[in-house]
Amino acid sequence: MEIRAEPITLKLATPFRIAHGTSTARHNVLLHIGSGVGEAAIVPYYPTTVEDVIAYASDFKLEEMENDGSLWLEDSLDSLPDGPAPARAAADIALHDLWGQYLKMPLYRLWGLNPARAPLSSFTLGMAEEDEFRRKVRDSRQYPLLKIKLGTGDLEQDEALVRIAREETDARLCVDANAAWNVEQALSIIPRLAAYDLLFVEQPLAQDDLTGWKTLHAQLPPSMPPLIADESVHDSRDVLKLAESADGINIKLAKCGGLREARRMIALARTLGMQVMLGCMVESSVGVTAAAHLAPLVDYADLDGNLTVLNDPYTGVQWKQGRLHLPDKPGLGVTRRQ
Ligand SMILES: [Mg+2]
């Protein structure tokens, strides 16, 4: 079966500033397997490069399907070589797409999921100076759920961004510190931010600070918004480590290696009584639509990675007032733009 890597550059409508740095474009890789397509999201603060994904794609072969397609997915996924998570995710997504095409059904239908059960998806606002941030919030009033990136390096400034958002919109708010705070800072600011009625607080602490997570969870009052782990949780092996100290996990296909692993993580988190968020990186409609097929299984969705991309090569899941509308075509259901 033909396997082909296609590097793409995604241009952003506005620079995206988070605690890890600022981006004006991202370089991802589409992976085509037969008529299936997947995407490897390349993130500046993780080690995988475009070249790593291209090398991965040249590293495996797949036999043409011999049965009717229905018995083929798991074996194909098992035959993929180990490699960086974004590359494995791209291959996993492309194989799921192909599987759905063979069976002539959208993925969510093959999994028995009702798309009406998908939660609202948040729209993310990067950090900015106060006046510019106020403008950004005003420009985002059509979104019923806003995620505010924090970690400016100054807790007063972090709180000011949330206060401005609260002043300018009636939307539900949540925040993502992208690992910017230490335990003392988190214990100080989370109760202050909670006064603005937050849906959750994401990744307050450093990725590997598991002791800090335990301390934070134990010392915050129970009335605080749930703590969701993002950078600290890559795949299902990480979920157990945080079972006692995070209230939920943020699953991203580029971190965990694809849809099969994401479904394992959801099952494990539910077994442990944890909440589940589904996130994405800056991605085209390929990667975002793949994740969106799982949205009926989760509590929170943050699938806006394609919305500020100016040159998305595909169409797929559509946004209407924060609601995700999945395409009804087989597989991922994405379509190449002309
Ligand atoms: Mg995050």
Side-chain angles (χ1 to χ4, degrees), residues 250-282:
N250 185 353
I251 298 172
K252 295 176 182 169
L253 301 181
K255 286 191 304 182
C256 74
L259 292 162
R260 180 167 69 168
E261 179 65 11
R263 295 177 75 216
R264 285 181 182 154
M265 292 176 80
I266 293 169
L268 180 54
R270 294 309 191 194
T271 304
L272 296 166
M274 299 175 85
Q275 297 186 326
V276 180
M277 184 193 315
L278 199 55
C280 62
M281 308 296 185
V282 173

Side-chain angles (χ1 to χ4, degrees), residues 1-237:
M1 191 148 6
E2 191 202 2
I3 298 167
R4 181 170 59 89
E6 179 193 1
I8 53 171
T9 297
L10 301 175
K11 295 181 192 139
L12 301 180
T14 53
F16 184 51
R17 182 180 154 219
I18 64 173
H20 297 301
T22 303
S23 297
T24 53
R26 290 284 179 88
H27 304 281
N28 290 357
V29 184
L30 297 176
L31 186 60
H32 302 271
I33 300 179
S35 59
V37 62
E39 180 167 8
I42 305 299
V43 182
Y45 50 91
Y46 286 128
T48 304
T49 63
V50 167
E51 290 70 30
D52 292 336
V53 180
I54 293 170
Y56 180 85
S58 64
D59 195 33
F60 67 91
K61 293 199 174 16
L62 286 166
E63 299 301 319
E64 289 293 335
M65 183 196 59
E66 285 183 2
N67 56 44
D68 65 358
S70 58
L71 307 178
W72 167 89
L73 178 67
E74 290 286 329
D75 288 348
S76 303
L77 291 170
D78 285 344
S79 75
L80 293 175
D82 201 6
R88 286 186 282 115
D92 166 290
I93 295 165
L95 289 174
H96 276 85
D97 187 20
L98 202 50
W99 175 61
Q101 291 176 27
Y102 285 139
L103 296 182
K104 301 184 173 53
M105 286 253 225
L107 289 178
Y108 71 85
R109 281 190 193 279
L110 289 167
W111 290 328
L113 303 180
N114 177 359
R117 295 190 57 153
L120 279 179
S121 187
S122 50
F123 182 73
T124 302
L125 296 176
M127 297 185 291
E129 298 304 318
E130 290 189 16
D131 287 350
E132 188 194 341
F133 187 75
R134 193 177 291 278
R135 265 197 307 278
K136 284 174 139 192
V137 177
R138 286 181 184 163
D139 289 346
S140 307
R141 279 186 175 149
Q142 69 271 37
Y143 300 112
L145 174 58
L146 293 177
K147 185 195 271 194
I148 303 165
K149 292 290 194 178
L150 300 181
T152 58
D154 174 355
L155 294 186
E156 302 304 320
Q157 189 61 34
D158 283 349
E159 184 177 353
L161 296 182
V162 178
R163 186 178 60 244
I164 288 167
R166 189 70 296 157
E167 287 167 1
E168 296 293 338
T169 175
D170 294 328
R172 295 298 320 258
L173 301 178
C174 50
V175 301
D176 184 358
N178 281 115
W181 302 324
N182 61 34
V183 177
E184 292 71 29
Q185 290 170 323
L187 282 168
S188 152
I189 192 161
I190 289 173
R192 280 154 61 190
L193 297 179
Y196 299 94
D197 188 19
L198 300 182
L199 197 56
F200 57 80
V201 174
E202 187 176 333
Q203 195 65 36
L205 303 175
Q207 177 176 325
D208 298 324
D209 188 6
L210 296 182
T211 315
W213 274 97
K214 271 204 186 76
T215 308
L216 182 62
H217 202 259
Q219 294 191 12
L220 278 177
S223 58
M224 290 296 104
L227 302 179
I228 308 290
D230 179 0
E231 285 91 332
S232 294
V233 177
H234 287 89
D235 56 31
S236 49
R237 288 169 299 187

